[in-house]
Amino acid sequence: MKVIDHKIERLLWQVQKPARYTGNEWNAWRKDHAGIKVKMVLAFPDLYEVGMSNQGLKILYESVNRRPEMLMERAFAPAADMEELMRAHNLPLFALESGKPLAEFDLVGFSLQYELSFTNVLNMLDLAGISLHASERGESEPLVVGGGPCAFNPEPLAPFFDFFLLGESEECLPELLADLDAFKQTAPDRKELLAKLSEKEGVYVPALYRPVYKEKKLKALERVDPGAPGVIKKRLVKDLDSAPYPAAPVIPYLQTIHDRAVVELFRGCGRGCRFCQAGYIFRPVRRRSREEIVKTAREQIALTGYEELSLASLSSTDYTRLDELIDELDRALAGEQVKCNLPSLRLDSYSIKLADRLHRGKRSNLTFAPEAATERLRRVIKKNISEEEIFTALGDAVDAGWQGFKLYFMIGLPTESDEDVAAIAELCHRLKQYFRRKAGRRISISVSVSTFVPKAHTPFQWEPQLPLPEVTRRQEILQQGFKKMPGVDLSWHDAETSFLEAVFARGDRRLAAVLEWAFKLGCRFDGWTEHFSMSRWRQAFREADIEPEDYAQRRFEYDDLLPWSHLDCGVDKEVFIKEHRKAFNLDADFEGEFR
Amino acid sequence: MTRIKFRFARHAPLKHISHLDMMRLFQRALRRSGLPLVYSEGYNPHLRFNLALPLPVNVTASEEFGEVYLSETVSPDQFVSTLRAQLPESLDLKSASSEDYKAPSLPSQVVAALYRATLGREENCRAGSSQFRAALDRLMAREEILVQKTKKKKKQAYVNVRPYIIEAYFKESGNESPLELYMLLQAGSSGGVSPFFVIEQLEKELNCDCNNKAFWELHRESLYTDKDQFLQPLSEGM
C-alpha cells in the first residue's frame, strides 16, 4: 500500500475534503511501477467528486489496468485551497495511486467533457511542470493526449496537445499503449513517434496540420506532413458485450455526484434531437445484451456494496424489451436492498410505467427534459412529443404517487419567439391546474432553463447563439411568467457561461491564445459559478485581440470550412444539412420522419 | 436477532475522511460481506448500524466502536473475520462481542472521549514547552470559554464549553520527545466540545509572536460511558 508522501500529508490537514487527494479507495488498482512498460495518468480537469462520477473514466481505468503490462492512474484538478498550497510548497501535481508526479508518466490523458474545463487542463499541465505547448516539450516529457466529447472539436486546445483520440477509447487505448511501447523500442524522437501514431485510426496529431485564415474565416487546413491523413475517423466499439466494463468500480470515500453502481444499457441514441451532440457522436446505437447487463449489475452490487443501481443510456426506454430486463433484474437483485433508477426518461406513458415498476421506496421526483414548451419548437429540435402526451404521462405519474417533477427547458433555440419563451411558464401553469384537479395534493414542479449552445457535429452546428443582451431579455420574459406562480421553482443558467461555452464549442485554433491568457489571468473551474469571472475572460479576449461574439454568434454557411471538418464523427455532412433544412421547413415532412 | 458490537482502530491513511464517509464505508463493507444484515421497515429501509461517536476529519483513533444488528446468529469471531476481509487495511477491526439487543444504542452510551494531540516537529510554532504549559494553565483557570453556535432560525447563541473540558494536561516528557497534550472531553448527546476548538483556544492563550502555525497530530485514544457516575471505557467487557 502506498504511504502518502510526507510532503502531501503535511498539506492535507489545511484543506477542505482532503480525501480528494489521498486515493487508496476500495477497488482502486495498486500496481508496482517496476516492470510496467507503459504508464499513463488519466487526468480529469475537474474536482475529484465530479471526475469520479464520470463513467468514461471508470471504463478506461478498467480497460488499461486489466492488462498486466500497462497501468493507468488518476489525477484530478485540485481545488483552489490545495492549488495554493501546492504552489507555495513547490509540490507538482501527482497521481492518486502512487503519489508520483505526472511528469514521470509516459502519457497524460485528459478527459475533455466540457468546454469550461479547458483552463483547468492548462492549469493541471502547469502544476505538473509539463510544458504547456506540445511544440516545446522535450523528449523526456510525457505525451499529452485528449479524448472525450470535446475531442470532436479540440481546435482551441490544439497547441497544448500532442494528439487526440477521437471516439470511444476503451478498446483502442490499450492497443495504442501497446503500440507505443513497440514504437519506442526503435527509439524514434518525439516527432517520428507522433507521425507513426497518426497512422492509427482515431489518432489526430494537430501539429501535422496548419490552418489558413483569411478575413477572420478559416480558408484551408494544410497538411504539414503529406503523410498525415486528410480525415480522421472516430474509433468505435462494435460489440458492447465484449468491450471492457468494470465489474468492480472504485468506491470513493467521499460522496461524489453520482455515487452508485452504473450499468450501461446501450450506447448512442436513435432519436436524433438536432441540438444534441451526444446523439450524433455516439452513433450508431449499440445495445448491451440483457444477460450481460444482469450479470454486470450483480457483480457490481456484490463487489461494491452500492445501495443504488443506475441503468445508463441516452434514452432509457428505447432499450427493446426493457420490461423483461427489469423483471430479470428484479429477480437477480431480490433481497439485496438495491434501489434501481432509470435516468433519461422520455415523456410518455410507457416510460412512466417502467420507472414506476423499477422504483422502490418513496416516490419523490421524476425528471424530464421537454426542452421546448411549444409543439412547434419541439418539432424544430426533433423532440417530438405532443402536449397531450406530456399531460397523459405526467398524469399517470401523479396517479402512481409521484410527488413532483423536475423539468428541463432551453431558451435561445433556433426559430424561438417570445411566445415560445412565455409558453414555458404557461405550460407549467396548466400542469399545475391539471395536477390540482387530478391529485388533490401538492405536486411540486421545478423548472431548470439553460441557454442553447450550438455544438459541432450536430444539425445546428451552423446556427449562431443569441447575442448576450437578447438572452438576458428572454430570461426576463421567463421570470415574468413565473412571477405569479407560487410553488413552482424556477432556476436558469448564467447566460455568460453559456456564451463562453458557445465560443469554444465551435472555436478554432486562434482561441488557444485566449485560453492561455485566461489561464494566466487566473481563470479556473469556469463551469462553477463561484469561480467564473467574465471580466477576466473579457480581458483575456482583449489581450489575444479576439472578439468572442465573432465565434458565439457566427452563422456558418454550408460551404464554409468548419474548424472540425477534418474530424469524422461517422455522420455525413449531407445528413446534417438535410436535418438542418428539415428543422426550418417543418410541415413538409414532420409526419413519419421519426425513426 | 443478534446485536454485535465491534472495536476498531483508524490509522493515518484513512484519517482524512468524514463521519458520513465512514458510515458509508462501513455500510458498503457490510453489504459486500454477505452477513445477514437487518434493515429498518418503511419506505426508505436503512441498515441497522451505528458508530459510537463521529470521528472528526484528520484524527486517527485506536479504540472506536460500532454496532450492527444481524438476523441470524453469527459468532463474534466469525463476524470479525468476515468483515475484516471487506475493510481497507487502515481500518483495523480488532474484536467483537454479542450485546443485549435491548440495551440503549451505542451512540447514546458515549459520554466522553480522550484525545492526544502531538505537536509536530517541523515548520512549527517556536514557543517552548513551558510557554505551552503556562497557556494551558491559563485556559483551564478560565470559568467561561464561549462558543458561538447557530441555532434554529439563524439565532446566534453562546455556549460555555469550559465544563466540557473534563481534564487537559501535557504529558511529562523529556526535551527530546514531542510535546503531547491529553484532553478528556465530554462528548455525546448531552453536549461536547471539539478537540480542535480546545487547541485553538490554547493557541490564543499562548499568543506566540512567531507567526508559524502549529501543526498538531490528533489521535483519539478511547471512548467512555457513564457507570454509576464514573467514566468507564466502552471496551469494558469486550
Side-chain angles (χ1 to χ4, degrees):
Chain A
M1 192 191 69
K2 175 193 66 151
V3 179
I4 307 167
D5 190 68
H6 183 63
K7 261 173 136 179
I8 306 171
E9 179 65 41
R10 289 298 297 265
L11 305 184
L12 290 180
W13 65 288
Q14 305 173 58
V15 301
Q16 294 275 309
K17 299 193 183 184
R20 284 167 174 166
Y21 314 104
T22 53
N24 251 319
E25 307 95 321
W26 194 257
N27 291 336
W29 287 83
R30 296 170 183 85
K31 285 186 165 184
D32 185 356
H33 278 228
I36 300 269
K37 287 179 175 155
V38 198
K39 299 167 197 126
M40 175 170 180
V41 182
L42 190 61
F44 198 95
D46 209 321
L47 291 179
Y48 175 90
E49 302 91 289
V50 178
M52 284 305 290
S53 304
N54 180 273
Q55 202 54 21
L57 177 139
K58 295 182 200 170
I59 295 174
L60 292 182
Y61 188 67
E62 165 71 21
S63 79
V64 173
N65 284 320
R66 62 159 67 170
R67 313 253 304 230
E69 72 278 20
M70 47 187 76
L71 65 77
M72 179 185 273
E73 302 197 358
R74 295 160 297 152
F76 301 90
D81 58 352
M82 184 66 171
E83 181 189 337
E84 196 185 317
L85 287 170
M86 287 170 75
R87 290 192 183 279
H89 290 81
N90 263 324
L91 188 75
L93 188 62
F94 53 91
L96 288 191
E97 278 75 2
S98 62
K100 287 188 192 294
L102 262 58
E104 288 181 20
F105 287 76
D106 301 305
L107 255 99
V108 175
F110 280 96
S111 168
L112 305 172
Q113 301 290 326
Y114 182 35
E115 290 80 1
L116 297 189
S117 67
F118 287 177
T119 54
N120 280 7
V121 172
L122 270 60
N123 191 37
M124 287 171 82
L125 284 173
D126 185 65
L127 276 169
I130 298 171
S131 314
L132 276 194
H133 288 260
S135 59
E136 286 161 13
R137 275 178 210 137
E139 293 293 330
S140 64
E141 288 190 78
L143 289 171
V144 178
V145 50
C150 292
F152 279 96
N153 180 30
E155 291 304 281
L157 288 170
F160 313 114
F161 280 79
D162 292 296
F163 68 100
F164 295 97
L165 253 183
L166 233 57
E168 298 158 355
S169 318
E170 62 259 61
E171 285 177 342
C172 70
L173 184 61
E175 268 172 47
L176 201 84
L177 294 181
D179 289 341
L180 193 69
D181 180 50
F183 293 160
K184 274 190 165 171
Q185 305 302 323
T186 65
D189 65 15
R190 215 179 164 87
K191 224 175 143 189
E192 286 164 357
L193 187 70
L194 285 167
K196 268 275 207 219
L197 282 177
S198 74
E199 293 165 12
K200 300 274 161 195
E201 197 171 278
V203 173
Y204 168 43
V205 179
L208 300 181
Y209 306 83
R210 186 170 43 223
V212 182
Y213 302 100
K214 208 174 144 194
E215 289 152 14
K216 283 189 174 181
K217 277 185 165 186
L218 178 64
K219 275 291 161 223
L221 190 72
E222 289 174 353
R223 270 180 269 183
V224 176
D225 178 341
V231 169
I232 294 97
K233 282 173 91 164
K234 76 163 178 189
R235 293 296 296 254
L236 161 92
V237 168
K238 286 208 173 64
D239 175 20
L240 279 193
D241 280 355
S242 59
Y245 198 82
V250 175
I251 314 168
Y253 289 124
L254 292 178
Q255 179 137 42
T256 55
I257 315 273
H258 301 296
D259 197 9
R260 53 178 92 107
V262 179
V263 182
E264 192 184 18
L265 293 180
F266 61 93
R267 202 165 295 177
C269 175
R271 296 278 170 183
C273 298
R274 294 185 176 110
F275 58 87
C276 177
Q277 193 189 41
Y280 284 93
I281 61 175
F282 290 114
R283 283 186 174 191
V285 174
R286 287 141 295 155
R287 54 180 262 138
R288 181 169 270 119
S289 70
R290 224 157 56 214
E291 299 70 40
E292 195 61 30
I293 292 169
V294 174
K295 185 175 145 253
T296 310
R298 281 169 92 141
E299 285 172 338
Q300 280 202 3
I301 295 301
L303 296 173
T304 61
Y306 270 128
E307 46 295 285
E308 199 178 335
L309 168 72
S310 185
L311 300 173
S313 71
L314 290 168
S315 176
S316 307
T317 37
D318 287 347
Y319 188 84
T320 21
R321 295 193 289 174
L322 183 58
D323 42 354
E324 291 175 32
L325 171 68
I326 290 171
D327 284 342
E328 275 183 46
L329 276 174
D330 251 350
R331 283 195 294 274
L333 299 174
E336 296 277 359
Q337 297 282 353
V338 175
K339 274 188 229 166
C340 289
N341 66 54
L342 208 54
S344 309
L345 281 181
R346 213 177 133 71
L347 246 176
D348 56 27
S349 294
Y350 177 65
S351 303
I352 303 282
K353 214 183 283 169
L354 290 170
D356 205 57
R357 269 186 53 193
L358 200 57
H359 194 83
R360 270 182 215 92
K362 204 174 152 194
R363 282 165 166 67
S364 45
N365 278 303
L366 278 177
T367 301
F368 298 99
E371 309 291 5
T374 59
E375 267 180 41
R376 183 200 68 80
L377 192 53
R378 282 198 295 271
R379 263 181 270 159
V380 171
I381 62 175
K382 207 172 170 180
K383 189 103 190 184
N384 298 325
I385 29 172
S386 67
E387 178 131 345
E388 198 189 329
E389 276 178 291
I390 295 178
F391 275 80
T392 315
L394 294 185
D396 289 352
V398 167
D399 288 343
W402 293 91
Q403 302 196 358
F405 304 102
K406 176 150 196 175
L407 303 175
Y408 283 97
F409 292 94
M410 249 191 275
I411 57 167
L413 285 162
T415 78
E416 182 186 75
S417 64
D418 287 2
E419 286 71 41
D420 292 309
V421 180
I424 298 175
E426 286 156 18
L427 175 64
C428 292
H429 183 65
R430 285 199 302 282
L431 281 171
K432 231 185 125 201
Q433 288 179 322
Y434 174 64
F435 294 152
R436 193 182 297 145
R437 282 199 309 274
K438 199 171 170 62
R441 64 191 151 96
R442 216 184 84 88
I443 301 291
S444 75
I445 303 176
S446 69
V447 177
S448 175
V449 184
S450 61
T451 307
F452 167 67
V453 176
K455 296 265 173 166
H457 305 284
T458 66
F460 288 158
Q461 63 184 350
W462 293 284
E463 290 293 312
Q465 189 183 46
L466 286 182
L468 261 178
E470 179 58 19
V471 173
T472 313
R473 193 185 67 83
R474 292 194 195 181
Q475 284 180 339
E476 276 158 19
I477 300 179
L478 186 73
Q479 291 165 59
Q480 211 59 41
F482 280 94
K483 242 182 189 164
K484 287 178 195 140
M485 224 185 296
V488 177
D489 177 38
L490 171 72
S491 64
W492 61 94
H493 283 213
D494 175 48
E496 287 177 331
T497 49
S498 302
F499 169 66
L500 200 63
E501 191 184 335
V503 171
F504 285 98
R506 298 189 306 154
D508 56 35
R509 289 196 193 182
R510 290 172 297 183
L511 290 178
V514 181
L515 270 179
E516 207 171 332
W517 269 109
F519 153 67
K520 283 183 182 150
L521 292 168
C523 294
R524 312 271 188 277
F525 293 101
D526 300 298
W528 297 72
T529 334
E530 63 268 42
H531 294 292
F532 178 72
S533 157
M534 195 60 198
S535 62
R536 268 202 296 251
W537 272 102
R538 289 273 180 210
Q539 193 188 337
F541 281 108
R542 272 197 307 274
E543 299 283 2
D545 195 21
I546 278 181
E547 298 282 343
E549 286 78 10
D550 288 347
Y551 284 87
Q553 279 132 44
R554 175 157 178 205
R555 177 184 292 287
F556 283 109
E557 302 303 326
Y558 291 151
D559 291 337
D560 284 339
L561 186 62
L562 301 172
W564 53 92
S565 57
H566 54 304
L567 305 176
D568 181 4
C569 76
V571 179
D572 290 342
K573 185 181 175 186
E574 283 64 43
V575 174
F576 288 135
I577 293 180
K578 203 176 95 195
E579 283 296 317
H580 184 251
R581 287 207 164 118
K582 270 188 191 170
F584 299 96
N585 180 18
L586 299 168
D587 299 322
D589 44 19
F590 169 55
E591 294 302 329
E593 85 168 10
F594 178 53
R595 273 158 83 86
Chain B
M1 195 154 65
T2 326
R3 177 173 165 186
I4 297 255
K5 174 172 150 191
F6 57 90
R7 191 164 63 101
F8 65 96
R10 179 166 93 169
H11 302 306
L14 257 184
K15 72 174 182 181
H16 302 293
I17 69 175
S18 71
H19 173 60
L20 286 177
D21 298 335
M22 283 280 277
M23 290 291 285
R24 270 194 303 273
L25 187 165
F26 268 112
Q27 286 167 4
R28 287 170 185 164
L30 284 162
R31 288 169 57 86
R32 289 193 300 271
S33 71
L35 287 162
L37 306 171
V38 177
Y39 290 83
S40 66
E41 306 276 316
Y43 259 150
N44 262 321
H46 57 267
L47 196 59
R48 295 203 55 190
F49 157 79
N50 270 319
L51 289 175
L53 184 69
L55 190 56
V57 177
N58 290 332
V59 178
T60 51
S62 35
E63 229 175 41
E64 294 294 304
F65 297 87
E67 64 178 357
V68 63
Y69 288 79
L70 301 175
S71 59
E72 293 157 33
T73 309
V74 174
S75 78
D77 285 350
Q78 201 188 336
F79 175 86
V80 171
S81 63
T82 313
L83 186 56
R84 261 191 94 94
Q86 298 299 330
L87 291 174
E89 35 197 315
S90 315
L91 213 52
D92 185 7
L93 188 61
K94 298 189 155 179
S95 66
S97 61
S98 300
E99 295 287 299
D100 173 8
Y101 84 84
K102 289 194 187 92
S105 80
L106 195 52
S108 69
Q109 295 177 29
V110 178
V111 299
L114 177 66
Y115 294 88
R116 183 188 70 219
T118 312
L119 191 64
R121 286 168 187 266
E122 304 159 42
E123 311 156 29
N124 244 318
C125 177
R126 280 199 289 273
S129 110
S130 57
Q131 285 164 280
F132 271 106
R133 283 168 205 273
L136 183 63
D137 288 345
R138 288 197 294 278
L139 182 69
M140 294 302 282
R142 276 166 62 178
E143 281 182 1
E144 262 190 351
I145 303 171
L146 296 179
V147 183
Q148 199 176 30
K149 292 225 162 127
T150 307
K151 297 211 161 172
K152 273 181 189 163
K153 291 181 185 170
K154 290 185 181 169
K155 268 188 192 165
Q156 301 286 339
Y158 287 91
V159 180
N160 179 15
V161 296
R162 175 60 190 87
Y164 298 159
I165 309 174
I166 303 168
E167 239 181 345
Y169 54 93
F170 281 102
K171 198 181 157 192
E172 290 303 327
S173 59
N175 286 339
E176 291 301 304
S177 51
L179 204 56
E180 281 181 345
L181 169 66
Y182 281 83
M183 295 171 277
L184 182 61
L185 307 176
Q186 185 177 316
S189 50
S190 51
V193 59
S194 144
F196 292 105
F197 180 77
V198 177
I199 287 176
E200 204 184 291
Q201 295 301 307
L202 175 72
E203 285 173 351
K204 270 191 193 159
E205 288 288 353
L206 184 71
N207 200 16
C208 185
D209 52 9
C210 76
N211 273 334
N212 286 341
K213 221 173 137 55
F215 171 67
W216 296 88
E217 261 176 51
L218 253 103
H219 182 78
R220 188 148 84 193
E221 297 272 343
S222 46
L223 300 178
Y224 297 91
T225 187
D226 177 63
K227 175 88 174 174
D228 309 324
Q229 306 277 304
F230 285 99
L231 292 182
Q232 173 184 293
L234 221 55
S235 56
E236 194 74 16
M238 279 189 82

